[in-house]
């Protein structure tokens, strides 16, 4: 049995996530305390008892999801399931920072501060309303890429996420993304719809945010991960901290190659994918990509007990 831990991205956030872990495991509570201290505010209060609109703000959702994922990691470790038992870690977009914190590349405090910076930088990069993202369901990657290219017409319109065999996300200037929706439907997409996001992530419009992240990452100490990271923009594993830093910068404007990443891990012999933190979206994608693998979501004390007893 070969296991990879995978970490969710934005969209998985819910009010109350991680609270049961913190109540059941002192090590999980300590993670939320550390994130609160690092940010100089009670982010945990927002996560557990705030309103979803405020939590969904990019600068809040990103560190909040990381905190929830690392709380689950610490709870698993309390039960004797450590990162040392893994073959790889990987994360979807911001989840890459959670994966690196889990693998010891970043401290929890540095990961929280980096994600706060990342969220604010991404929001500042494009004025609200000028950019958009759309999910395209039912087209393969090559067809979706062609749709995005034809929709551009001199504007930015790119594939941001290659999520699974029939789910891709387009990102760019709003007019171009709206054209892509029409062209995708003409090309046979089952659905193509705008996503409720505040900025066009993972496209060339995020270049100002990439510059901010390059500066922020220069100021943070990074260690080699305890297990290799399967990087979003490559879809293969890396372990050198300098290279990881470059890829994190590239990731701001580059594609999240999730399908490629999962396929690569499965080809290396990974048989189980554990989704660590909030939600089960990645597990659904993985089941459509690596159909012979086992997916397991770990977000509550009951999930941990089930994993320990499996």
């Amino acid at each position: 049995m070969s296991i990879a831990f995978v970490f969710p991205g934005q969209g998985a956030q819910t009010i109350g996530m991680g609270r049961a872990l913190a109540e059941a495991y002192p090590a999980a509570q300590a993670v939320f305390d550390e994130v609160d201290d690092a940010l100089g505010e009670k982010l945990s209060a927002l996560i557990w008892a705030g309103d979803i609109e405020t939590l969904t703000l990019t600068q809040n959702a990103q560190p909040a999801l990381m905190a929830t994922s690392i709380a689950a990691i610490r709870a698993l470790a309390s039960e004797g399931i450590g990162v040392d038992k893994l073959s790889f870690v990987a994360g979807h977009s911001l989840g890459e920072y959670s994966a690196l914190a889990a693998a010891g590349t970043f401290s929890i405090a540095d990961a929280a501060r980096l994600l706060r910076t990342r969220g604010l930088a991404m929001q500042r990069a494009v004025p609200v309303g000028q950019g958009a993202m759309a999910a395209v369901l039912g087209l393969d990657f090559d067809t979706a890429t062609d749709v995005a290219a034809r929709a551009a017409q001199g504007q930015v319109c790119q594939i941001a996420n290659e999520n699974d065999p029939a789910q891709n996300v387009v990102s760019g200037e709003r007019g171009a993304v709206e054209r892509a929706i029409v062209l995708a439907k003409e090309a046979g997409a089952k659905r193509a719809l705008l996503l409720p996001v505040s900025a066009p992530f993972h496209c060339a419009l995020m270049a100002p945010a990439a510059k901010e992240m390059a500066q922020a990452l220069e100021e943070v100490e990074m260690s080699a991960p305890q297990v290799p990271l399967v990087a979003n923009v490559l879809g293969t594993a890396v372990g050198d901290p300098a290279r990881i830093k470059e890829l994190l910068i590239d990731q701001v404007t580059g594609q999240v190659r999730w399908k490629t990443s999962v396929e690569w891990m499965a080809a290396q012999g990974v048989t189980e994918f554990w989704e660590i933190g909030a939600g089960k979206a990645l597990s659904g994608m993985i089941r459509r990509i690596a159909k012979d693998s086992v997916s397991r979501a770990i977000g509550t004390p009951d999930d941990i007990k089930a994993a320990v007893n499996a």
Side-chain angles (χ1 to χ4, degrees):
M1 181 176 66
S2 174
I3 300 173
F5 281 4
V6 299
F7 297 83
Q10 202 159 330
Q13 66 275 0
T14 58
I15 295 297
M17 63 183 182
R19 186 167 194 168
L21 289 172
E23 291 172 347
Y25 294 95
Q29 176 66 58
V31 171
F32 288 103
D33 292 342
E34 189 169 348
V35 170
D36 287 350
D37 289 344
L39 297 179
E41 64 184 68
K42 278 283 189 182
L43 185 65
S44 59
L46 171 61
I47 297 169
W48 295 337
D51 65 273
I52 190 62
E53 291 80 10
T54 304
L55 180 60
T56 298
L57 292 174
T58 305
Q59 65 264 30
N60 293 328
Q62 295 200 16
L65 284 161
M66 183 277 299
T68 303
S69 288
I70 302 305
I73 284 287
R74 294 295 171 83
L76 279 168
S78 297
E79 298 286 0
I81 301 176
V83 175
D84 59 309
K85 300 183 184 297
L86 305 181
S87 297
F88 303 102
V89 293
H92 194 283
S93 190
L94 83 89
E96 200 154 74
Y97 286 80
S98 305
L100 289 166
T105 295
F106 294 133
S107 70
I108 294 170
D110 282 341
R113 288 188 287 261
L114 284 168
L115 286 170
R116 171 57 57 81
T117 298
R118 185 177 183 268
L120 289 169
M122 288 175 134
Q123 192 60 65
R124 283 193 295 262
V126 180
V128 174
Q130 291 189 13
M133 299 181 77
V136 176
L137 309 179
L139 298 182
D140 62 29
F141 177 75
D142 289 342
T143 305
T145 300
D146 176 67
V147 163
R150 289 190 290 119
Q153 298 181 20
Q155 293 185 302
V156 172
C157 189
Q158 299 169 230
I159 299 297
N161 300 355
E162 174 211 30
N163 282 338
D164 67 32
Q167 182 189 134
N168 298 281
V169 175
V170 175
S171 183
E173 293 174 74
R174 188 174 186 92
V177 172
E178 289 174 343
R179 288 193 293 272
I181 289 173
V182 174
L183 290 171
K185 291 177 180 177
E186 291 176 354
K190 292 179 181 177
R191 294 183 71 195
L193 66 161
L194 288 172
L195 293 174
V197 296
S198 55
F201 305 128
H202 299 292
C203 75
L205 297 175
M206 288 286 111
K211 290 182 180 179
E212 286 195 53
M213 288 311 298
Q215 182 175 350
L217 285 161
E218 281 300 321
E219 299 170 0
V220 171
E221 183 177 343
M222 295 176 61
S223 303
Q226 296 171 37
V227 293
L229 169 79
V230 180
N232 283 178
V233 297
L234 291 181
T236 58
V238 291
D240 175 60
R243 181 63 175 140
I244 289 170
K245 184 182 296 184
E246 293 173 354
L247 294 171
L248 288 173
I249 297 165
D250 291 346
Q251 186 226 63
V252 179
T253 56
Q255 286 177 359
V256 176
R257 301 182 66 190
W258 190 250
K259 172 178 171 285
T260 299
S261 298
V262 173
E263 288 175 338
W264 186 87
M265 285 186 277
Q268 309 312 304
V270 172
T271 55
E272 292 199 13
F273 294 88
W274 293 20
E275 182 173 4
I276 309 296
K280 299 180 180 180
L282 297 184
S283 297
M285 293 177 197
I286 290 164
R287 282 192 290 271
R288 293 187 289 272
I289 300 166
K291 295 180 180 179
D292 293 333
S293 66
V294 174
S295 297
R296 183 186 295 275
I298 307 289
T300 68
D302 286 345
D303 294 336
I304 291 172
K305 289 174 185 174
V308 169
N309 295 326

